Amino acid sequence: MTKAVDMIIPENDFQKLNYEQLDALLLTGHLQSKENVCSTEEAHQKFMNIYPKIFIKKKPILPGIPEKRTTGVHSCNFCTDAVTAESFHNIHFYLNKMKSPDRLQPSFPKSRESVHNLIKILKKIPILRTEEEHETVYKIMKVIPDINEQLSEEQIKEISKVVLREYWVKESTVDANQGFYIILRGSVKPQSKYYKRLIGGQFISVPPQATSATNESNPTQVASSDVLGVGCCFGTLIPLPSKMKHGVLSVLTEENCDFIKIPSINYLRVKEEIAKHELQAKEEVIRGCPYYQNWPLIFIFKLTAQLKWRKFPTDYVFMEEGVISKYVGFIKSGHCNAYRIIPALVKRPLEKMVKQMRQVFIGQLHRHQSFGEMSVLLQTPSTYTLKAATPIELGVINATDVLALDPVIQLLLLQIIQPSFENITFEDLKFKYINNKKQMEWRHKKVAKK
């Protein structure tokens, strides 16, 4: 039977007890004691029911979405993922963003001193900024999600050299139809249904919670309490058409504000210059190859329209012997090793000789050389294996694009392109293999003597 015992509870555990249940337990009668030889069955059951209740258990904290929205889950930090109805009602969308909100802007200036230094740089006209200052602005631009996800690294680097600083006093209306703004200091409130437009043409609206109340006199005006803070963006990189309503991307400053501004005209100019440089680079890498040097410019342009830049690590296999090539490649930087496979006698333990297939090095392809044309056009397997000897940057034209070229260009390619390493005979390969083996044995003997 159950005995009534004196419970000694550490002082630091008092807060974990339910004292009402403890009092009820101590007042339970008919338990075993000095006066009672044994407890009654009823008293025993009552004791056992009350005893677990005297200990307060901590309630487990379950994951959930807070009722009040914080800066960590503000729509401006969601970049292109925001504003669709599905996104706002998808729990996983918010939870993924809430797991590590600081990760979105790991290097964005947060201290007053760093913001002040950045503003000091931006106050200078771009031509007077030093290379170090340009680099500082570039690093900030690169960690802003809306910038990083819309622009290439080259575009960010060039645009960071022409960005401006704008200062607006409290309660000013900023019309962002001709530029893209990043908030450095202060906060703004969207004054229209949309406050941001992405390069693809998608308009980003304020969250549905904030658009429930609208101004009847002006349907585009939003009665919003949603505020965009430091690090948020609004506006557009591509100017809005003149037929669109004035003030579509307007915001109201809640306090004195400092912005980084990318004028739309500057973005378009940088984009055009980069496109020109890329076209020139593509033309140079094709014309640099000996077989293409005398080609008409119109045919070169047909190839550059399909060419894409790609980077590959060392030891990447571009072509395999006996397999049709998947693309035509023009080497911009680095070099490749070419191999052929031959049957060879290999010495095994107990002086046993076994025939095995071995790769033999037959040569290299360097900058301003190409490969894969004959294999793709004739749909014949490659006669050698090509592997990257160093990190490689290539101009690549996929096989489907090559086969879709004008028949005149295909015929011209077949007439002028000569297969690489076609003059190497089987006897040459055997000689190279035997010579390599002798050199390896000689090096091994020299090491053994030392």
mmCIF file of all heavy atoms in Angstrom, residues 385-411:
data_model
loop_
_atom_site.group_PDB
_atom_site.id
_atom_site.type_symbol
_atom_site.label_atom_id
_atom_site.label_comp_id
_atom_site.label_asym_id
_atom_site.label_seq_id
_atom_site.Cartn_x
_atom_site.Cartn_y
_atom_site.Cartn_z
ATOM 1 N N THR A 385 39.322 11.088 -77.578
ATOM 2 C CA THR A 385 38.738 11.603 -76.341
ATOM 3 C C THR A 385 39.400 12.937 -76.016
ATOM 4 O O THR A 385 40.630 13.046 -76.076
ATOM 5 C CB THR A 385 38.952 10.618 -75.174
ATOM 6 O OG1 THR A 385 38.248 9.408 -75.456
ATOM 7 C CG2 THR A 385 38.436 11.200 -73.856
ATOM 8 N N LEU A 386 38.591 13.930 -75.686
ATOM 9 C CA LEU A 386 39.115 15.267 -75.384
ATOM 10 C C LEU A 386 38.781 15.611 -73.940
ATOM 11 O O LEU A 386 37.613 15.568 -73.525
ATOM 12 C CB LEU A 386 38.502 16.300 -76.320
ATOM 13 C CG LEU A 386 39.143 17.685 -76.321
ATOM 14 C CD1 LEU A 386 40.572 17.615 -76.853
ATOM 15 C CD2 LEU A 386 38.325 18.666 -77.157
ATOM 16 N N LYS A 387 39.827 15.951 -73.168
ATOM 17 C CA LYS A 387 39.670 16.196 -71.736
ATOM 18 C C LYS A 387 40.349 17.513 -71.362
ATOM 19 O O LYS A 387 41.421 17.837 -71.884
ATOM 20 C CB LYS A 387 40.289 15.043 -70.949
ATOM 21 C CG LYS A 387 40.032 15.070 -69.456
ATOM 22 C CD LYS A 387 40.773 13.944 -68.742
ATOM 23 C CE LYS A 387 40.271 12.589 -69.161
ATOM 24 N NZ LYS A 387 40.920 11.508 -68.353
ATOM 25 N N ALA A 388 39.733 18.268 -70.442
ATOM 26 C CA ALA A 388 40.294 19.556 -70.022
ATOM 27 C C ALA A 388 41.569 19.339 -69.210
ATOM 28 O O ALA A 388 41.558 18.621 -68.203
ATOM 29 C CB ALA A 388 39.274 20.332 -69.200
ATOM 30 N N ALA A 389 42.681 19.956 -69.651
ATOM 31 C CA ALA A 389 43.942 19.877 -68.908
ATOM 32 C C ALA A 389 44.040 20.984 -67.868
ATOM 33 O O ALA A 389 44.799 20.889 -66.905
ATOM 34 C CB ALA A 389 45.114 19.962 -69.873
ATOM 35 N N THR A 390 43.287 22.069 -68.079
ATOM 36 C CA THR A 390 43.218 23.198 -67.139
ATOM 37 C C THR A 390 41.751 23.634 -67.075
ATOM 38 O O THR A 390 40.930 23.166 -67.865
ATOM 39 C CB THR A 390 44.070 24.375 -67.644
ATOM 40 O OG1 THR A 390 43.516 24.838 -68.894
ATOM 41 C CG2 THR A 390 45.520 23.982 -67.844
ATOM 42 N N PRO A 391 41.390 24.520 -66.135
ATOM 43 C CA PRO A 391 40.037 25.090 -66.203
ATOM 44 C C PRO A 391 39.820 25.747 -67.564
ATOM 45 O O PRO A 391 40.688 26.463 -68.062
ATOM 46 C CB PRO A 391 40.036 26.125 -65.068
ATOM 47 C CG PRO A 391 41.052 25.612 -64.104
ATOM 48 C CD PRO A 391 42.130 24.974 -64.954
ATOM 49 N N ILE A 392 38.681 25.484 -68.169
ATOM 50 C CA ILE A 392 38.415 25.889 -69.557
ATOM 51 C C ILE A 392 37.190 26.789 -69.622
ATOM 52 O O ILE A 392 36.188 26.544 -68.955
ATOM 53 C CB ILE A 392 38.158 24.646 -70.440
ATOM 54 C CG1 ILE A 392 39.411 23.782 -70.533
ATOM 55 C CG2 ILE A 392 37.686 25.041 -71.825
ATOM 56 C CD1 ILE A 392 40.447 24.259 -71.482
ATOM 57 N N GLU A 393 37.290 27.831 -70.467
ATOM 58 C CA GLU A 393 36.104 28.611 -70.830
ATOM 59 C C GLU A 393 35.877 28.433 -72.322
ATOM 60 O O GLU A 393 36.778 28.670 -73.129
ATOM 61 C CB GLU A 393 36.265 30.082 -70.489
ATOM 62 C CG GLU A 393 34.983 30.872 -70.735
ATOM 63 C CD GLU A 393 35.039 32.310 -70.251
ATOM 64 O OE1 GLU A 393 36.111 32.746 -69.792
ATOM 65 O OE2 GLU A 393 33.996 32.997 -70.343
ATOM 66 N N LEU A 394 34.678 27.985 -72.662
ATOM 67 C CA LEU A 394 34.353 27.677 -74.052
ATOM 68 C C LEU A 394 33.196 28.519 -74.557
ATOM 69 O O LEU A 394 32.306 28.905 -73.792
ATOM 70 C CB LEU A 394 33.917 26.206 -74.183
ATOM 71 C CG LEU A 394 34.944 25.089 -74.072
ATOM 72 C CD1 LEU A 394 34.247 23.758 -74.311
ATOM 73 C CD2 LEU A 394 36.073 25.270 -75.058
ATOM 74 N N GLY A 395 33.203 28.756 -75.858
ATOM 75 C CA GLY A 395 32.003 29.184 -76.556
ATOM 76 C C GLY A 395 31.372 27.934 -77.137
ATOM 77 O O GLY A 395 32.007 27.224 -77.920
ATOM 78 N N VAL A 396 30.152 27.616 -76.718
ATOM 79 C CA VAL A 396 29.534 26.337 -77.069
ATOM 80 C C VAL A 396 28.311 26.570 -77.948
ATOM 81 O O VAL A 396 27.484 27.447 -77.665
ATOM 82 C CB VAL A 396 29.125 25.573 -75.787
ATOM 83 C CG1 VAL A 396 28.290 24.357 -76.129
ATOM 84 C CG2 VAL A 396 30.358 25.159 -75.002
ATOM 85 N N ILE A 397 28.191 25.778 -79.027
ATOM 86 C CA ILE A 397 26.978 25.743 -79.845
ATOM 87 C C ILE A 397 26.439 24.314 -79.788
ATOM 88 O O ILE A 397 27.133 23.372 -80.196
ATOM 89 C CB ILE A 397 27.242 26.143 -81.309
ATOM 90 C CG1 ILE A 397 27.896 27.524 -81.375
ATOM 91 C CG2 ILE A 397 25.948 26.140 -82.101
ATOM 92 C CD1 ILE A 397 28.221 27.984 -82.793
ATOM 93 N N ASN A 398 25.245 24.133 -79.256
ATOM 94 C CA ASN A 398 24.666 22.799 -79.114
ATOM 95 C C ASN A 398 24.462 22.144 -80.474
ATOM 96 O O ASN A 398 24.236 22.820 -81.497
ATOM 97 C CB ASN A 398 23.333 22.873 -78.370
ATOM 98 C CG ASN A 398 23.527 23.250 -76.910
ATOM 99 O OD1 ASN A 398 24.547 22.908 -76.313
ATOM 100 N ND2 ASN A 398 22.567 23.950 -76.344
ATOM 101 N N ALA A 399 24.508 20.811 -80.483
ATOM 102 C CA ALA A 399 24.387 20.055 -81.732
ATOM 103 C C ALA A 399 23.070 20.365 -82.444
ATOM 104 O O ALA A 399 23.039 20.492 -83.676
ATOM 105 C CB ALA A 399 24.494 18.557 -81.444
ATOM 106 N N THR A 400 21.973 20.502 -81.687
ATOM 107 C CA THR A 400 20.671 20.797 -82.307
ATOM 108 C C THR A 400 20.695 22.139 -83.031
ATOM 109 O O THR A 400 20.093 22.288 -84.101
ATOM 110 C CB THR A 400 19.564 20.799 -81.245
ATOM 111 O OG1 THR A 400 19.938 21.671 -80.167
ATOM 112 C CG2 THR A 400 19.325 19.404 -80.698
ATOM 113 N N ASP A 401 21.415 23.126 -82.456
ATOM 114 C CA ASP A 401 21.513 24.447 -83.094
ATOM 115 C C ASP A 401 22.390 24.400 -84.343
ATOM 116 O O ASP A 401 22.124 25.101 -85.330
ATOM 117 C CB ASP A 401 22.060 25.480 -82.103
ATOM 118 C CG ASP A 401 21.113 25.724 -80.940
ATOM 119 O OD1 ASP A 401 19.896 25.634 -81.154
ATOM 120 O OD2 ASP A 401 21.595 25.990 -79.826
ATOM 121 N N VAL A 402 23.452 23.577 -84.302
ATOM 122 C CA VAL A 402 24.329 23.449 -85.467
ATOM 123 C C VAL A 402 23.562 22.813 -86.632
ATOM 124 O O VAL A 402 23.644 23.266 -87.784
ATOM 125 C CB VAL A 402 25.571 22.598 -85.125
ATOM 126 C CG1 VAL A 402 26.404 22.322 -86.381
ATOM 127 C CG2 VAL A 402 26.426 23.308 -84.083
ATOM 128 N N LEU A 403 22.795 21.762 -86.336
ATOM 129 C CA LEU A 403 22.041 21.064 -87.384
ATOM 130 C C LEU A 403 20.878 21.897 -87.912
ATOM 131 O O LEU A 403 20.337 21.595 -88.984
ATOM 132 C CB LEU A 403 21.522 19.724 -86.838
ATOM 133 C CG LEU A 403 22.618 18.711 -86.456
ATOM 134 C CD1 LEU A 403 22.018 17.497 -85.773
ATOM 135 C CD2 LEU A 403 23.419 18.295 -87.695
ATOM 136 N N ALA A 404 20.486 22.936 -87.146
ATOM 137 C CA ALA A 404 19.400 23.809 -87.598
ATOM 138 C C ALA A 404 19.909 25.008 -88.397
ATOM 139 O O ALA A 404 19.112 25.822 -88.866
ATOM 140 C CB ALA A 404 18.607 24.298 -86.384
ATOM 141 N N LEU A 405 21.233 25.131 -88.559
ATOM 142 C CA LEU A 405 21.802 26.240 -89.326
ATOM 143 C C LEU A 405 21.418 26.130 -90.804
ATOM 144 O O LEU A 405 21.045 25.059 -91.297
ATOM 145 C CB LEU A 405 23.327 26.238 -89.196
ATOM 146 C CG LEU A 405 23.913 26.640 -87.836
ATOM 147 C CD1 LEU A 405 25.418 26.358 -87.815
ATOM 148 C CD2 LEU A 405 23.632 28.105 -87.525
ATOM 149 N N ASP A 406 21.557 27.243 -91.497
ATOM 150 C CA ASP A 406 21.289 27.284 -92.933
ATOM 151 C C ASP A 406 22.152 26.230 -93.647
ATOM 152 O O ASP A 406 23.338 26.076 -93.330
ATOM 153 C CB ASP A 406 21.625 28.685 -93.457
ATOM 154 C CG ASP A 406 21.171 28.884 -94.883
ATOM 155 O OD1 ASP A 406 21.794 28.300 -95.795
ATOM 156 O OD2 ASP A 406 20.174 29.616 -95.090
ATOM 157 N N PRO A 407 21.581 25.475 -94.604
ATOM 158 C CA PRO A 407 22.361 24.444 -95.324
ATOM 159 C C PRO A 407 23.631 24.981 -95.966
ATOM 160 O O PRO A 407 24.630 24.255 -96.074
ATOM 161 C CB PRO A 407 21.377 23.942 -96.388
ATOM 162 C CG PRO A 407 20.019 24.218 -95.810
ATOM 163 C CD PRO A 407 20.170 25.474 -95.011
ATOM 164 N N VAL A 408 23.614 26.240 -96.386
ATOM 165 C CA VAL A 408 24.815 26.834 -96.997
ATOM 166 C C VAL A 408 25.947 26.892 -95.968
ATOM 167 O O VAL A 408 27.116 26.592 -96.287
ATOM 168 C CB VAL A 408 24.503 28.256 -97.533
ATOM 169 C CG1 VAL A 408 25.779 28.913 -98.066
ATOM 170 C CG2 VAL A 408 23.438 28.198 -98.610
ATOM 171 N N ILE A 409 25.611 27.276 -94.720
ATOM 172 C CA ILE A 409 26.637 27.358 -93.671
ATOM 173 C C ILE A 409 27.141 25.957 -93.337
ATOM 174 O O ILE A 409 28.349 25.746 -93.154
ATOM 175 C CB ILE A 409 26.064 28.050 -92.409
ATOM 176 C CG1 ILE A 409 25.627 29.483 -92.746
ATOM 177 C CG2 ILE A 409 27.091 28.061 -91.291
ATOM 178 C CD1 ILE A 409 25.003 30.227 -91.585
ATOM 179 N N GLN A 410 26.255 24.975 -93.265
ATOM 180 C CA GLN A 410 26.663 23.605 -92.976
ATOM 181 C C GLN A 410 27.609 23.081 -94.066
ATOM 182 O O GLN A 410 28.621 22.436 -93.753
ATOM 183 C CB GLN A 410 25.433 22.701 -92.870
ATOM 184 C CG GLN A 410 24.541 23.010 -91.671
ATOM 185 C CD GLN A 410 23.448 21.977 -91.507
ATOM 186 O OE1 GLN A 410 23.624 20.807 -91.804
ATOM 187 N NE2 GLN A 410 22.290 22.398 -91.001
ATOM 188 N N LEU A 411 27.281 23.371 -95.317
ATOM 189 C CA LEU A 411 28.131 22.928 -96.428
ATOM 190 C C LEU A 411 29.496 23.600 -96.372
ATOM 191 O O LEU A 411 30.540 22.958 -96.608
ATOM 192 C CB LEU A 411 27.438 23.244 -97.759
ATOM 193 C CG LEU A 411 28.108 22.717 -99.034
ATOM 194 C CD1 LEU A 411 28.212 21.191 -98.992
ATOM 195 C CD2 LEU A 411 27.353 23.176 -100.270
#
